Amino acid sequence: NISSSKDIYLDFVRLAHDTILELGKIPVGWGEIWTNFGSTLNGGVVLQKWLIQQNITDMIDHGYRVINVEAPTNYLDHLDVTWEEMYSFEMCNYDDDDGDTTRRNNNDDLCDTLVLGGGGEMWGETVDTSDVLSTVWPKLGAIAERLWTPRDKTDAMKKENVMDEIVKPRLAEFRCLLNRRGIAATPLHKRSREAPARPGSCYDQ
């Protein structure tokens, strides 16, 4: 019953997923497969959500496991995204009618079970060996700490607006450690890959 290119796409996706599952492995697919095929996908598939237009609530309500790397907040090559935005990203977020993507999914238990984690994406179109490390670091450290920190602690820091007091000094120290080890981690500016704003210790830049 193949009558369109989308049918061919679905046939290929299903064949690939079935083959992977038969081998005892877990298939992971980019969010486009959800956009195109939704809940017709095999329930054993893990969805990697990166499209901001996709609602993670729909995915988990249908029982799918999800890796949330939503763009642009988790994309390190988006130079204007600050470490604060990356640290504050809500893994169990959803889009409401007003486009607010910071509100939490109503079913926290389901979200905690099915949202497996996240990550920092680094695409290579705008980097080479001269600037890749200063693009990735130290912002990837902010993403990593958010992912391994219990949510109640990150919630409290965001609510009390103390990230600059608690998190920033730790990231600055981490950046200095990277510099001492020869890794060209950029200062904690609003943009990646910018030079220090002034002379001085890496702890103050």
Side-chain angles (χ1 to χ4, degrees), residues 48-56 67-75 89-91 93-95 101-102 118-119 121 146:
Q48 184 150 330
K49 177 190 182 301
W50 72 275
L51 293 162
I52 196 170
Q53 300 92 337
Q54 291 178 331
N55 192 329
I56 200 168
I67 300 169
N68 194 350
V69 292
E70 184 176 295
T73 311
N74 296 283
Y75 276 62
F89 179 71
E90 171 53 57
M91 294 302 299
N93 72 327
Y94 67 97
D95 298 334
T101 60
T102 64
E121 304 297 297
R146 182 197 74 220

Side-chain angles (χ1 to χ4, degrees), residues 119-138:
E121 304 297 297
M122 179 64 234
W123 291 86
E125 293 89 339
T126 61
V127 297
D128 62 16
T129 56
S130 70
D131 59 8
V132 63
L133 292 177
S134 61
T135 305
V136 170
W137 301 108

Side-chain angles (χ1 to χ4, degrees), residues 187 189 194-199 205:
H189 291 329
E194 284 191 349
R198 60 188 181 280
Q205 293 170 353

Side-chain angles (χ1 to χ4, degrees), residues 51-110:
L51 293 162
I52 196 170
Q53 300 92 337
Q54 291 178 331
N55 192 329
I56 200 168
T57 303
D58 293 338
M59 296 175 174
I60 64 174
D61 280 351
H62 283 91
Y64 289 93
R65 292 167 294 172
V66 182
I67 300 169
N68 194 350
V69 292
E70 184 176 295
T73 311
N74 296 283
Y75 276 62
L76 297 156
D77 51 305
H78 283 253
L79 304 184
D80 289 325
V81 179
T82 66
W83 72 265
E84 293 95 336
E85 291 174 279
M86 293 179 172
Y87 198 97
S88 299
F89 179 71
E90 171 53 57
M91 294 302 299
C92 293
N93 72 327
Y94 67 97
D95 298 334
D96 66 10
D97 293 336
D98 297 321
D100 181 1
T101 60
T102 64
R103 297 180 61 188
R104 180 168 302 161
N105 186 286
N106 290 326
N107 193 336
D108 272 357
D109 291 338
L110 187 60

